[in-house]
Amino acid sequence: LKIAVVLDVERTWDLSTMEWAKDNINSKGGVLGVRPVELVYFQVDSNSKLNSVLRDIVDDPDIVAVIGPATAEQSIDAARLFSSNDMVMLTPTSTASEIYRKFGDNDFVWRTVESDIALTEKMMLSAWASNANKVALLTTFSLYGSTFFDWFGFLAVEVGYPTDDIHVGRYGLEDTDPTTDCISPLDELLANVPDVLFAVA
């Protein structure tokens, strides 16, 4: 069984766990004891490369499933294509709530990680437990950052923070430099003197 691995494999990922899992399955004869697993790695480090790789995977009748892609934006594009072709896609790192909303009932998109809504809740509970009076969040305009942005204020109010003690800033619009455009929203957040500042880069 050929499984495509669609990640930035040369730079970002330690593939030893996937190789270990494959070897473990194959040492028993493979899936159901008769179908060995083969991992086929695709290097994806740009959106144009991703589109080319996705087409290659769909055109290969021997590939039965996909692990990846890494980001939420890439996962949504891939999920649309793969689910319409009845191919299983496992998202090992895409935690944006948008994926859960769009593909929660889709039998072909499998999420192996919890949504960032749960992480946002943990962040808020940790601030509350540390007796922080004011909380702040700096996040990006990406789908990944949007989950935190969408839920931070709501969860802060839920645990008991007054709205005046909750501050949120965003950065990273298209065609801006994320290494510098975070400075202004960060300065604004710090001017409110939060007891806890969460940064979701």
Side-chain angles (χ1 to χ4, degrees), residues 13 28 33 39 45-46 51 55 61 77 116 164 168 186 189:
W13 298 93
K28 306 296 184 202
L39 298 177
D45 51 14
S46 69
N51 292 332
R55 284 192 300 276
D77 290 343
D116 283 324
D164 289 345
V168 179
L186 180 58
L189 291 173

Side-chain angles (χ1 to χ4, degrees), residues 3-7 18 39 65-70 82 88-92:
I3 299 174
V5 179
V6 182
L7 300 167
M18 280 189 272
L39 298 177
V66 178
I67 298 172
F82 293 142
V88 171
M89 181 184 91
L90 291 86
T91 59

Side-chain angles (χ1 to χ4, degrees), residues 110-181:
W110 298 359
R111 291 152 313 280
T112 60
V113 288
E114 196 169 21
S115 166
D116 283 324
I117 297 169
L119 180 55
T120 309
E121 182 179 28
K122 298 286 187 207
M123 291 162 52
M124 196 51 56
L125 291 173
S126 72
W128 186 256
S130 69
N131 296 315
N133 292 316
K134 288 184 180 179
V135 292
L137 169 73
L138 177 67
T139 189
T140 68
F141 283 98
S142 68
L143 280 179
Y144 173 68
S146 291
T147 303
F148 294 92
F149 178 81
D150 292 345
W151 287 90
F152 187 82
F154 170 78
L155 293 169
V157 170
E158 285 288 298
V159 299
Y161 285 102
T163 55
D164 289 345
D165 294 335
I166 306 164
H167 305 280
V168 179
R170 295 180 93 174
Y171 71 98
L173 288 170
E174 282 188 43
D175 302 324
T176 62
D177 181 356
T179 61
T180 58
D181 68 355

Side-chain angles (χ1 to χ4, degrees), residues 6-19:
V6 182
L7 300 167
D8 186 359
V9 295
E10 292 177 358
R11 185 171 57 90
T12 309
W13 298 93
D14 177 3
L15 305 175
S16 59
T17 304
M18 280 189 272
E19 285 295 320

Side-chain angles (χ1 to χ4, degrees), residues 60-80:
D60 187 337
D62 295 329
I63 295 177
V64 297
V66 178
I67 298 172
T71 70
E73 287 86 357
Q74 291 174 340
S75 294
I76 286 175
D77 290 343
R80 286 186 182 119

